[in-house]
Amino acid sequence: MTIRQPLRALTLGAATLSAALLLGACGGAHTDTGAHSAHGASATAAAHDAQDVAFAQGMIPHHQQALEMARLAAGRAGSAQVKDLAARIEKAQDPEIRTMTGWLKSWGEQPPMAGMDHSAHTGMTGMMGADDMADLEKKKGADFDSAFLSLMIRHHQGAVEMATTEKDKGRYTPATKMADAIIEGQSAEIAEMRKLLDGDK
């Protein structure tokens, strides 16, 4: 009895603490306690909706294709500006893929596989078809730069559209914040790419 009694008290104490943290996560978003406990797994699983899942499951393959395009630039681009832009795209989008994959796993959802065939996603806004990608791989120098910029503008526009839907309809705060960052960052890159394209003409 002397051993079981403290164990029972400890279990009850842990349950009370868990309940307090969960309540803090749900109701105290403006307090320090709520902000910290909102990162807990239970809060993460509870505070999302179907739109958040669709955003992550759609944006991961979208970003993966952008990375494939960006990696082609290292050995094919003629312009240092295009190479620099491609490196920045890779640096921004690779961590976002990892973050979104983590969200899906925490929600009990299946993340899209890396290196998968993107033909299943060609209907998604801004996604390149296999022919577009094959054509891009064959180009070098100024021809590559022009094709890369044209295709990436279209790709970014698709991402901005998807992010705008998430911002309007999503519930999971980190996802809507990422959507904001995508809209801001990729809109700026679209403007930059249009200037580079105009300079090529």
Side-chain angles (χ1 to χ4, degrees):
M1 290 296 289
T2 52
I3 295 170
R4 292 177 66 185
Q5 198 68 25
L7 278 175
R8 214 166 77 191
L10 187 62
T11 306
L12 284 170
T16 307
L17 179 62
S18 298
L21 285 172
L22 188 59
L23 285 171
C26 296
H30 299 295
T31 67
D32 285 342
T33 305
H36 291 304
S37 58
H39 294 295
S42 56
T44 301
H48 74 284
D49 61 13
Q51 167 55 39
D52 298 317
V53 174
F55 171 69
Q57 286 182 333
M59 195 62 83
I60 288 172
H62 205 275
H63 273 18
Q64 284 169 341
Q65 189 178 67
L67 294 187
E68 288 171 20
M69 294 167 69
R71 286 166 186 153
L72 291 175
R76 293 172 174 79
S79 160
Q81 290 166 298
V82 170
K83 286 182 182 179
D84 175 65
L85 173 70
R88 281 185 279 125
I89 288 170
E90 190 171 347
K91 188 178 177 182
Q93 297 195 22
D94 197 36
E96 288 177 349
I97 289 171
R98 289 197 296 272
T99 298
M100 289 184 285
T101 299
W103 293 344
L104 288 168
K105 287 179 179 175
S106 76
W107 298 336
E109 301 286 350
Q110 185 65 39
M113 297 292 289
M116 64 184 291
D117 178 12
H118 293 303
S119 60
H121 301 283
T122 50
M124 193 185 297
T125 181
M127 287 289 277
M128 304 299 106
D131 290 347
D132 291 320
M133 291 296 292
D135 189 50
L136 188 63
E137 284 179 27
K138 292 173 189 169
K139 296 182 184 295
K140 283 205 168 187
D143 284 346
F144 176 88
D145 295 349
S146 180
F148 174 84
L149 292 168
S150 298
L151 291 171
M152 194 62 87
I153 286 170
R154 201 168 91 206
H155 203 269
H156 271 27
Q157 286 169 333
V160 168
E161 189 178 312
M162 291 162 70
T164 302
T165 301
E166 169 61 18
K167 191 178 167 185
D168 292 344
K169 298 179 181 176
R171 184 176 169 221
Y172 186 52
T173 303
T176 58
K177 283 184 178 176
M178 183 184 284
D180 263 331
I182 288 170
I183 293 165
E184 184 179 345
Q186 297 202 21
S187 294
E189 286 173 352
I190 288 168
E192 180 183 350
M193 288 188 284
R194 281 181 171 149
K195 283 182 185 175
L196 288 172
L197 260 182
D198 288 342
D200 288 342
K201 290 172 185 174

